[in-house]
Amino acid sequence: MPRPTKAYIDLSALTHNLSVTRQYAPHARLMSIIKADAYGHGLLHTAQALKQTDGFALLELGAAIELREAGYHHPILLLEGFFSTKELALFKQYQLSAVIHHSEQVAMLSTCKQPALEIFLKINTGMNRLGFSPEQFPIVFDKLTSNQTINKITLMTHFANADDTIGNQSFLKQFQCFNKITSAYNQPTSLANSAAIIRHPETHADWVRPGIMLYGASPFTDKTASDLNLKPAMTLASSIIAIQHLKRGDSVGYGGVFKAEKSMKIGIVACGYADGYPRHARTNTPVLVNNQRSRTLGLVSMDMLAIDLTEVENAQLNNPVILWGKGMPVEKIAYAADTISYELLCALSSRVEKILTNAVEI
Ligand SMILES: *Cc1c(COP(=O)(O)O)cnc(C)c1O
């Protein structure tokens, strides 16, 4: 038998989440974000499951080309644009759209003789990562519109805090800043990530940019994915490969971090941080074993982790364990590991085999 650690990718959940996204933003076009290997879910089958989208966005040029070569005719937007004039030529060849966020890119464009590149011009409204300041924006816009190589310009920004609850000053400030700058221009606009799509419909504009919600995780701490009618697309599962019986005072794993206070039955699960399970997940991080809720014990190792079977009925060798996904929201594991669902999904290791399904049944 091969190592039992698998990631089940539920393609029907991806399609479902896309249609839920459309219900949240019925008047906008959807630019589905599939960066980082589709948040760890795998590029091409995710694109296939999301083919009803209006566009794709990512930031790896190789993956964008792969998508084009696989026959997708959607707009494909590169979220960090191009990094050299050599890359710019590939944008033209493969008809890729580019986020322009830096004057170096504007300079590269001005040397470019080829016509018809579609761009998303990024404005820094307060996140202070990428984009032109409100003062630079009109100058850059004029420069770009006088450039024959530009086909169409969409104005965009990105929110730092769209996930906070209503009455959120940072979000409002960014939104007002963007509106003030762009109202004088009759250009299409794009602002909303998943959190803004759900919580701030006033930001939907022409293109929304859903990421995490497509994968069935909640962008909020105060709402679960199922509250939002989203279904988890990735289920990380493995099984029990050893059972140990601890006496009071025995410990488990590296550092002996967990010590039994009574006799216990524990299971060793074939999943560790080299599979993408977070090492920072504390004792008591929830898991499902035989569809019963249990918890991790001690430190996660590279290839294994320990779970409590003391209260689990009929727990035996080879029993299935769900680390996250169906029945066990990835947000809960992220919370226990002081991180966010995004990081866990993206960090799924390449050594974990992906099994494509149309609804997870494990
Ligand atoms: C990743 C990304 C998104 C998607 O964000 P989610 O929170 O996953 O919805 C949207 N816009 C940009 C510019 C991004 O980089």
Side-chain angles (χ1 to χ4, degrees):
M1 206 180 88
R3 189 165 181 263
T5 318
K6 315 272 186 229
Y8 294 84
I9 307 298
D10 182 347
L11 302 174
S12 65
L14 290 166
T15 308
H16 165 86
N17 296 334
L18 182 77
S19 71
V20 169
T21 305
R22 237 189 239 295
Q23 288 162 21
Y24 278 109
H27 305 297
R29 280 186 287 174
L30 307 187
M31 180 70 82
S32 294
I33 310 284
I34 53 170
K35 61 191 176 192
D37 201 27
Y39 288 46
H41 293 63
L43 182 72
L44 289 183
H45 48 258
T46 298
Q48 175 65 21
L50 299 176
K51 63 176 188 290
Q52 304 292 351
T53 187
D54 304 302
F56 290 111
L58 69 183
L59 41 77
E60 304 84 355
L61 182 56
I65 292 172
E66 204 182 328
L67 207 57
R68 204 46 105 213
E69 289 186 332
Y72 290 91
H73 300 296
H74 302 69
I76 300 176
L77 175 64
L78 278 287
L79 290 166
E80 291 178 353
F82 42 83
F83 293 84
S84 65
T85 45
K86 215 165 145 195
E87 282 194 2
L88 185 48
L90 291 170
F91 274 62
K92 172 61 195 142
Q93 182 183 342
Y94 289 97
Q95 300 194 348
L96 306 173
S97 316
V99 167
I100 301 294
H101 64 85
H102 198 274
S103 45
E104 228 171 73
Q105 293 170 316
V106 179
M108 285 185 226
L109 273 175
S110 65
T111 67
C112 163
K113 301 274 180 299
Q114 306 126 328
L117 189 67
E118 194 166 325
I119 69 168
F120 280 59
L121 184 56
K122 191 152 191 178
I123 308 172
N124 175 12
T125 54
M127 191 174 196
N128 292 317
R129 266 187 346 187
L130 303 183
F132 295 97
S133 69
E135 297 73 36
Q136 291 169 317
F137 167 73
I139 303 160
V140 173
F141 185 85
D142 285 347
K143 215 181 237 175
L144 288 171
T145 43
S146 65
N147 184 337
Q148 296 303 308
T149 66
I150 306 296
N151 190 7
K152 188 170 173 193
I153 302 179
T154 300
L155 308 180
M156 76 180 279
T157 196
H158 193 52
F159 294 119
N161 292 297
D163 53 332
D164 286 358
T165 39
I166 317 273
N168 166 347
Q169 288 311 307
S170 150
F171 159 79
L172 259 184
K173 234 171 118 179
Q174 282 196 268
F175 186 44
Q176 286 165 354
C177 172
F178 186 79
N179 288 341
K180 191 166 158 214
I181 298 164
T182 57
S183 59
Y185 297 81
N186 190 21
Q187 298 295 128
T189 54
S190 174
L191 307 87
N193 57 3
S194 299
I197 289 168
I198 299 167
R199 197 151 267 174
H200 303 289
E202 68 278 20
T203 65
H204 287 170
D206 296 274
W207 283 100
V208 292
R209 305 191 305 268
I212 195 74
M213 67 188 295
L214 296 174
Y215 305 99
S218 171
F220 308 118
T221 50
D222 61 339
K223 282 222 178 335
T224 66
S226 79
D227 290 343
L228 303 169
N229 190 23
L230 300 169
K231 295 182 182 167
M234 180 197 292
T235 294
L236 178 62
S238 185
S239 63
I240 298 173
I241 59 165
I243 290 183
Q244 307 290 344
H245 297 274
L246 305 186
K247 296 186 297 293
R248 189 185 155 163
D250 286 349
S251 62
V252 183
Y254 287 114
V257 164
F258 178 81
K259 272 200 173 43
E261 289 176 358
K262 54 181 172 86
S263 43
M264 291 179 81
K265 178 179 175 184
I266 69 166
I268 305 301
V269 180
C271 186
Y273 59 80
D275 299 300
Y277 195 91
R279 187 175 173 277
H280 295 288
R282 298 177 287 263
T283 288
N284 291 334
T285 301
V287 299
L288 278 187
V289 48
N290 283 349
N291 282 320
Q292 298 166 65
R293 204 175 153 122
S294 183
R295 59 184 184 126
T296 64
L297 303 172
L299 284 182
V300 174
S301 319
M302 186 182 283
D303 311 308
M304 281 170 258
L305 54 82
I307 62 172
D308 189 356
L309 299 178
T310 315
E311 309 287 326
V312 178
E313 279 170 42
N314 301 322
Q316 289 168 20
L317 212 59
N318 299 325
N319 279 170
V321 175
I322 291 183
L323 285 321
W324 68 61
K326 202 174 180 202
M328 181 48 67
V330 65
E331 295 92 322
K332 289 200 190 301
I333 287 74
Y335 178 79
D338 282 328
T339 184
I340 53 176
S341 58
Y342 300 67
E343 186 180 17
L344 300 187
L345 298 175
C346 293
L348 181 78
S349 158
S350 60
R351 84 174 184 186
V352 178
E353 188 192 351
K354 293 189 191 78
I355 313 256
L356 307 184
T357 73
N358 270 310
V360 176
E361 285 181 43
I362 304 155

